Amino acid sequence: MSEEKWRAIVQNDSSYDGKFYYAVKTTGIFCRPSCKSRVPNKDHVKIFTYAEEALSEGFRPCKRCKPDGMRLPDEEWVEQIAQWIEKNYTEAWTLDMLADKFHGSPYHLQRTFKRVMKMSPAEYIQQVRIAKAMDDLASTNKTITEVALAVGIPNAAHFATLFHKRTGLTPTNYRQRTALNADIQQRREDGGKDER
């Protein structure tokens, strides 16, 4: 990539629109040079002469600058965001950061995500974190604090409150119940009888 093109990207220079497009490998999104999204890492940028080239290599058009002249369907955009959350659920983020990453305004992202998923992005990440915590509690011997940290909630008390609110059980009660159910299941599979 030439310094001239890089400067056009950094300065959001609209005089270069239509002359080239840039894609960001880490996000899978491509933009016009004038796009107001955050300046990408130069090492992650790939230049295209035509929007069709970026599309043919699997890059998606930016929701903000619409480099292909079309809008990405809301459902597809929200699915991309949800997939990113599922892969990066341990990271701390804000709505502004998420909107910037997916090239939309915070207000539009919040409203669209809620309409499509029937919950806000914050509620969705909580749901993903609690589901991962349930897996950890059932399959590991990690402490409650270690489970909380592993799912991206640094405060164990806050984690326990969220967990109870979502599942109706404390993390400790959930682990005990899961262990008991697994024990009963194992006895059934072994053909043994529950002796009391």
Side-chain angles (χ1 to χ4, degrees):
M1 167 178 29
S2 70
E3 276 306 310
E4 179 186 3
K5 286 180 178 169
W6 178 242
R7 201 168 35 254
I9 293 167
V10 171
Q11 297 173 352
N12 311 121
D13 191 337
S14 60
S15 68
Y16 286 84
D17 284 0
K19 295 181 181 171
F20 76 93
Y21 299 85
Y22 73 94
V24 182
K25 297 172 197 166
T26 52
T27 63
I29 294 171
F30 76 99
C31 300
R32 301 172 192 265
S34 65
C35 189
K36 301 289 187 210
S37 59
R38 187 173 33 148
V39 176
N41 180 325
K42 189 175 182 179
D43 295 336
H44 299 159
V45 173
K46 184 167 184 177
I47 300 295
F48 295 98
T49 306
Y50 303 103
E52 294 76 19
E53 294 172 323
L55 288 167
S56 72
E57 287 199 26
F59 289 99
R60 302 175 306 273
C62 170
K63 286 283 271 191
R64 185 176 282 171
C65 70
K66 302 176 184 73
D68 62 346
M70 297 166 49
R71 247 180 99 222
L72 185 66
D74 286 345
E75 291 74 17
E76 194 176 324
W77 188 51
V78 167
E79 180 59 30
Q80 291 169 8
I81 296 165
Q83 286 176 359
W84 184 87
I85 288 172
E86 288 163 18
K87 288 181 189 153
N88 300 281
Y89 63 91
T90 61
E91 293 182 25
W93 56 270
T94 64
L95 187 61
D96 285 344
M97 289 164 55
L98 203 58
D100 192 46
K101 182 167 196 57
F102 286 93
H103 299 202
S105 75
Y107 173 76
H108 178 67
L109 188 152
Q110 174 86 353
R111 193 181 55 177
T112 306
F113 196 96
K114 198 162 188 171
R115 181 174 50 78
V116 173
M117 298 296 282
K118 309 297 183 229
M119 67 180 78
S120 71
E123 291 168 321
Y124 188 72
I125 196 160
Q126 266 189 16
Q127 178 178 295
V128 170
R129 286 174 171 167
I130 296 302
K132 301 293 184 188
M134 290 167 78
D135 287 346
D136 270 4
L137 289 166
S139 63
T140 72
N141 290 323
K142 291 179 185 173
T143 66
I144 303 304
T145 301
E146 288 170 336
V147 171
L149 288 170
V151 299
I153 304 173
N155 181 316
H158 179 61
F159 165 71
T161 302
L162 285 176
F163 193 91
H164 187 269
K165 187 175 172 185
R166 288 235 170 220
T167 66
L169 296 168
T170 67
T172 302
N173 292 147
Y174 178 81
R175 175 175 269 161
Q176 290 166 344
R177 182 178 286 182
T178 305
L180 180 63
N181 289 342
D183 187 45
I184 291 168
Q185 182 64 32
Q186 187 62 50
R187 287 186 201 187
R188 285 184 186 143
E189 287 173 10
D190 292 344
K193 298 212 186 317
D194 192 4
E195 297 171 10
R196 288 187 204 201

